[in-house]
Amino acid sequence: RQRGWELKFASDRLRSDPEVVWAAVRSQGGAITSASPELSQDKKLVLAAIQDEADIWSSLEPPVRNDPDVVLEANRLIDPTSTQFASLHSTMPEPLRNVPAFQPKMLRQNAWAIEFVPDAVLADPKFAAEAAMAFPPLLDRPPLAARQEELFGARPELLQRYESVKD
Protein backbone atom coordinates (compact mmCIF):
# COMPACT_ATOMS: atom_id res chain seq x y z
CA ARG A 1 0.00 0.00 0.00
CA GLN A 2 2.93 2.27 0.58
CA ARG A 3 4.75 2.01 -2.73
CA GLY A 4 2.20 2.70 -5.49
CA TRP A 5 2.85 6.44 -5.42
CA GLU A 6 6.43 5.80 -6.56
CA LEU A 7 5.21 5.07 -10.08
CA LYS A 8 5.27 8.80 -10.81
CA PHE A 9 9.07 8.74 -10.44
CA ALA A 10 9.53 5.68 -12.67
CA SER A 11 10.89 5.74 -16.21
CA ASP A 12 8.52 5.86 -19.17
CA ARG A 13 9.37 2.21 -19.85
CA LEU A 14 8.20 1.17 -16.37
CA ARG A 15 5.13 3.40 -16.51
CA SER A 16 4.23 1.60 -19.76
CA ASP A 17 4.78 -1.88 -18.35
CA PRO A 18 1.39 -3.46 -17.54
CA GLU A 19 2.78 -5.66 -14.76
CA VAL A 20 4.47 -2.73 -13.03
CA VAL A 21 1.37 -0.56 -13.32
CA TRP A 22 -0.92 -3.34 -12.06
CA ALA A 23 1.32 -3.80 -9.03
CA ALA A 24 1.32 -0.05 -8.37
CA VAL A 25 -2.47 0.24 -8.74
CA ARG A 26 -3.03 -2.75 -6.44
CA SER A 27 -0.78 -1.01 -3.93
CA GLN A 28 -2.41 2.39 -4.33
CA GLY A 29 -5.27 3.12 -6.74
CA GLY A 30 -4.11 6.67 -7.35
CA ALA A 31 -1.03 5.29 -9.12
CA ILE A 32 -3.19 5.04 -12.25
CA THR A 33 -2.65 8.76 -12.77
CA SER A 34 1.09 8.15 -13.22
CA ALA A 35 0.71 5.31 -15.72
CA SER A 36 1.48 5.79 -19.40
CA PRO A 37 -1.32 7.43 -21.40
CA GLU A 38 -2.24 4.06 -22.90
CA LEU A 39 -2.42 2.22 -19.56
CA SER A 40 -4.19 5.10 -17.80
CA GLN A 41 -7.03 4.46 -20.27
CA ASP A 42 -7.15 0.70 -19.65
CA LYS A 43 -10.66 0.08 -18.36
CA LYS A 44 -9.73 -2.85 -16.10
CA LEU A 45 -6.90 -0.88 -14.52
CA VAL A 46 -9.10 2.17 -14.03
CA LEU A 47 -11.87 0.11 -12.43
CA ALA A 48 -9.33 -1.50 -10.08
CA ALA A 49 -7.97 1.95 -9.22
CA ILE A 50 -11.46 3.31 -8.48
CA GLN A 51 -12.23 0.31 -6.30
CA ASP A 52 -9.12 1.03 -4.27
CA GLU A 53 -9.37 4.79 -4.22
CA ALA A 54 -12.70 6.13 -5.50
CA ASP A 55 -11.65 9.74 -5.03
CA ILE A 56 -9.32 9.59 -8.03
CA TRP A 57 -12.32 10.33 -10.25
CA SER A 58 -11.38 13.94 -10.97
CA SER A 59 -7.86 12.86 -11.96
CA LEU A 60 -9.06 10.53 -14.71
CA GLU A 61 -8.99 11.68 -18.31
CA PRO A 62 -11.49 11.14 -21.11
CA PRO A 63 -12.29 8.83 -22.86
CA VAL A 64 -12.13 6.34 -19.95
CA ARG A 65 -13.91 8.87 -17.76
CA ASN A 66 -16.81 8.78 -20.24
CA ASP A 67 -17.15 4.99 -20.21
CA PRO A 68 -20.56 3.96 -18.78
CA ASP A 69 -19.07 1.10 -16.74
CA VAL A 70 -16.45 3.40 -15.21
CA VAL A 71 -19.08 6.04 -14.43
CA LEU A 72 -21.33 3.44 -12.78
CA GLU A 73 -18.49 2.03 -10.68
CA ALA A 74 -17.45 5.50 -9.54
CA ASN A 75 -21.09 6.34 -8.74
CA ARG A 76 -21.31 3.21 -6.61
CA LEU A 77 -18.09 3.81 -4.69
CA ILE A 78 -17.71 7.56 -4.24
CA ASP A 79 -19.07 9.02 -1.00
CA PRO A 80 -22.19 11.01 -2.00
CA THR A 81 -21.29 13.79 0.45
CA SER A 82 -17.92 14.38 -1.22
CA THR A 83 -16.99 16.92 -3.84
CA GLN A 84 -15.85 13.98 -5.99
CA PHE A 85 -19.47 12.78 -6.20
CA ALA A 86 -20.60 16.19 -7.42
CA SER A 87 -17.67 16.22 -9.85
CA LEU A 88 -18.65 12.81 -11.19
CA HIS A 89 -22.17 13.95 -11.93
CA SER A 90 -21.33 17.42 -13.18
CA THR A 91 -18.70 16.13 -15.60
CA MET A 92 -20.69 13.17 -16.85
CA PRO A 93 -20.86 13.26 -20.64
CA GLU A 94 -24.13 14.58 -22.04
CA PRO A 95 -24.92 11.36 -23.91
CA LEU A 96 -24.99 9.50 -20.57
CA ARG A 97 -26.57 12.29 -18.54
CA ASN A 98 -29.53 12.61 -20.90
CA VAL A 99 -30.29 8.93 -21.42
CA PRO A 100 -33.30 7.96 -19.30
CA ALA A 101 -32.27 4.28 -19.44
CA PHE A 102 -28.87 5.01 -17.87
CA GLN A 103 -30.07 7.11 -14.94
CA PRO A 104 -32.00 4.34 -13.12
CA LYS A 105 -28.80 2.28 -13.08
CA MET A 106 -27.12 5.17 -11.31
CA LEU A 107 -29.99 5.49 -8.85
CA ARG A 108 -30.04 1.78 -8.04
CA GLN A 109 -26.44 2.13 -6.91
CA ASN A 110 -26.74 5.44 -5.15
CA ALA A 111 -30.04 7.23 -4.61
CA TRP A 112 -28.25 10.54 -4.01
CA ALA A 113 -27.65 10.65 -7.76
CA ILE A 114 -31.24 11.94 -8.09
CA GLU A 115 -29.88 15.38 -7.22
CA PHE A 116 -28.01 15.44 -10.53
CA VAL A 117 -30.58 14.01 -12.93
CA PRO A 118 -31.42 16.62 -15.60
CA ASP A 119 -34.93 18.10 -15.50
CA ALA A 120 -35.66 16.81 -18.99
CA VAL A 121 -35.00 13.25 -17.81
CA LEU A 122 -37.02 13.73 -14.63
CA ALA A 123 -39.96 14.91 -16.76
CA ASP A 124 -40.00 11.58 -18.59
CA PRO A 125 -42.80 9.54 -16.93
CA LYS A 126 -41.13 6.25 -17.84
CA PHE A 127 -37.90 7.38 -16.16
CA ALA A 128 -39.72 8.61 -13.07
CA ALA A 129 -41.52 5.29 -12.69
CA GLU A 130 -38.32 3.28 -13.28
CA ALA A 131 -36.42 5.40 -10.78
CA ALA A 132 -39.13 5.01 -8.18
CA MET A 133 -39.36 1.25 -8.77
CA ALA A 134 -35.59 1.00 -8.35
CA PHE A 135 -35.63 2.97 -5.13
CA PRO A 136 -39.14 3.82 -3.83
CA PRO A 137 -37.99 6.35 -1.19
CA LEU A 138 -37.14 8.66 -4.11
CA LEU A 139 -40.86 9.40 -4.23
CA ASP A 140 -40.47 11.30 -0.98
CA ARG A 141 -37.82 13.61 -2.43
CA PRO A 142 -38.29 16.54 -4.77
CA PRO A 143 -38.98 16.62 -7.67
CA LEU A 144 -40.65 13.19 -7.73
CA ALA A 145 -42.67 13.84 -4.56
CA ALA A 146 -44.86 16.29 -6.45
CA ARG A 147 -45.65 13.60 -9.03
CA GLN A 148 -46.63 10.72 -6.74
CA GLU A 149 -50.28 10.62 -7.75
CA GLU A 150 -49.47 10.70 -11.46
CA LEU A 151 -46.91 7.92 -11.09
CA PHE A 152 -49.13 5.74 -8.91
CA GLY A 153 -51.96 6.14 -11.42
CA ALA A 154 -49.73 5.12 -14.32
CA ARG A 155 -48.11 2.20 -12.48
CA PRO A 156 -50.27 0.66 -9.73
CA GLU A 157 -47.48 -1.79 -8.85
CA LEU A 158 -45.38 1.22 -7.91
CA LEU A 159 -47.83 2.16 -5.15
CA GLN A 160 -47.59 -1.38 -3.75
CA ARG A 161 -43.80 -1.32 -3.86
CA TYR A 162 -43.69 2.15 -2.29
CA GLU A 163 -46.00 1.16 0.55
CA SER A 164 -44.09 -2.08 1.19
CA VAL A 165 -40.82 -0.25 1.85
CA LYS A 166 -42.23 2.90 3.42
CA ASP A 167 -42.74 1.38 6.86
Side-chain angles (χ1 to χ4, degrees):
R1 180 100 181 120
Q2 303 164 343
R3 310 294 288 209
W5 62 271
E6 292 178 344
L7 186 63
K8 68 181 171 183
F9 300 111
S11 68
D12 288 344
R13 183 180 63 78
L14 290 175
R15 292 171 46 195
S16 297
D17 183 317
E19 288 182 31
V20 171
V21 174
W22 267 107
V25 166
R26 279 191 209 108
S27 172
Q28 182 180 26
I32 191 71
T33 62
S34 298
S36 69
E38 180 181 295
L39 290 177
S40 70
Q41 294 294 309
D42 181 283
K43 185 173 167 177
K44 288 181 182 178
L45 269 168
V46 170
L47 289 172
I50 290 171
Q51 287 173 347
D52 180 68
E53 198 172 326
D55 288 346
I56 65 159
W57 173 258
S58 60
S59 301
L60 298 175
E61 298 288 332
V64 76
R65 191 173 171 161
N66 299 338
D67 183 289
D69 295 330
V70 173
V71 171
L72 284 170
E73 185 67 4
N75 179 69
R76 183 175 73 82
L77 294 170
I78 295 174
D79 176 359
T81 63
S82 72
T83 57
Q84 295 290 334
F85 192 74
S87 172
L88 164 69
H89 288 276
S90 64
T91 60
M92 187 184 312
E94 289 298 316
L96 290 179
R97 180 189 314 270
N98 293 316
V99 175
F102 184 72
Q103 293 295 335
K105 293 176 186 177
M106 300 282 281
L107 295 172
R108 278 187 209 105
Q109 292 179 334
N110 194 325
W112 290 104
I114 193 72
E115 302 294 331
F116 301 96
V117 175
D119 290 342
V121 175
L122 286 171
D124 179 332
K126 185 175 184 213
F127 166 78
E130 283 295 315
M133 284 297 286
F135 190 72
L138 290 175
L139 288 168
D140 293 328
R141 300 190 58 206
L144 296 183
R147 298 179 57 203
Q148 278 187 8
E149 304 255 338
E150 168 197 346
L151 294 169
F152 292 151
R155 302 246 337 237
E157 72 276 16
L158 178 57
L159 177 58
Q160 291 173 329
R161 179 144 163 71
Y162 175 74
E163 288 176 345
S164 73
V165 298
K166 189 167 174 128
D167 298 324

